């Protein structure tokens, strides 16, 4: 049936619409499959990167812990050396305190002895002057 020039061939329009829908559906299916495949690859890459980051972080923590242990061991050695030095100083101080009465003269006693010695020297000097003046 050939009708007017403005008549629409609905069978052709329906065929073209079906063809376009089929092409769009195929493209969407292809895009969906690419996304699913790439999603798996992306997830695997992400998991690998996360695992590498976790391992690097754990290695950094182990290295930090080792440095911390070494530093603490150094502090322990320093404390042990200081304790030995303290013990030595305490022994020396006890020895000095023990010998203090033998080696130390109180100020008053020193002044008494010094004054007595000077008095004796002055008397000896006076005697020498008297002897020299009598003979001279």
């Amino acid at each position: 049936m050939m009708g007017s020039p403005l008549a629409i061939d609905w069978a052709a329009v329906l065929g073209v619409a079906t063809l376009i829908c089929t092409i769009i559906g195929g493209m969407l299916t292809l895009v969906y499959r690419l996304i699913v495949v790439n999603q798996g690859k992306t997830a695997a890459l992400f998991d690998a990167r996360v695992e590498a980051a976790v391992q690097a972080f754990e290695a950094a923590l182990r290295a930090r812990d080792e440095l911390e242990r070494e530093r603490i061991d150094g502090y322990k050695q320093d404390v042990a050396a200081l304790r030995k030095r303290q013990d030595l100083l305490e022994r020396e101080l006890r020895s000095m305190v023990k010998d203090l009465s033998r080696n130390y003269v109180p100020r008053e006693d020193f002044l008494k002895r010094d004054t007595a010695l000077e008095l004796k020297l002055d008397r000896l000097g006076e005697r020498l002057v008297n002897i020299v003046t009598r003979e001279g």
Side-chain angles (χ1 to χ4, degrees), residues 36-54:
V36 168
V37 169
N38 283 331
Q39 179 184 10
K41 289 178 183 177
T42 303
L45 282 173
F46 179 76
D47 290 342
R49 285 184 179 174
V50 167
E51 183 62 30
V54 166

Side-chain angles (χ1 to χ4, degrees), residues 22-133:
T22 303
I23 291 173
I24 290 174
M27 291 174 69
L28 288 175
T29 303
L30 180 64
V31 168
Y32 175 76
R33 288 189 182 231
L34 286 174
I35 288 173
V36 168
V37 169
N38 283 331
Q39 179 184 10
K41 289 178 183 177
T42 303
L45 282 173
F46 179 76
D47 290 342
R49 285 184 179 174
V50 167
E51 183 62 30
V54 166
Q55 289 176 358
F57 183 70
E58 288 174 347
L61 284 177
R62 283 191 298 274
R64 183 192 59 98
D65 289 345
E66 181 62 29
L67 287 174
E68 191 68 20
R69 261 187 249 110
E70 289 174 4
R71 191 174 63 138
I72 288 172
D73 289 344
Y75 289 153
K76 286 178 182 178
Q77 290 173 357
D78 290 347
V79 167
L82 287 172
R83 284 188 182 142
K84 287 179 184 178
R85 179 73 176 140
Q86 180 184 6
D87 291 341
L88 177 65
L89 288 174
E90 284 178 358
R91 274 189 253 123
E92 288 178 9
L93 182 61
R94 284 188 196 114
S95 174
M96 286 176 59
V97 167
K98 187 172 85 177
D99 295 338
L100 190 62
S101 62
R102 280 186 269 157
N103 298 332
Y104 174 74
V105 177
R107 183 171 185 245
E108 294 81 18
D109 291 347
F110 174 76
L111 289 175
K112 286 179 189 176
R113 289 180 192 159
D114 189 48
T115 304
L117 184 60
E118 286 183 19
L119 182 63
K120 289 178 183 179
L121 286 174
D122 287 341
R123 285 185 190 159
L124 182 62
E126 286 177 17
R127 285 185 188 169
L128 286 174
V129 169
N130 287 338
I131 292 173
V132 170
T133 53

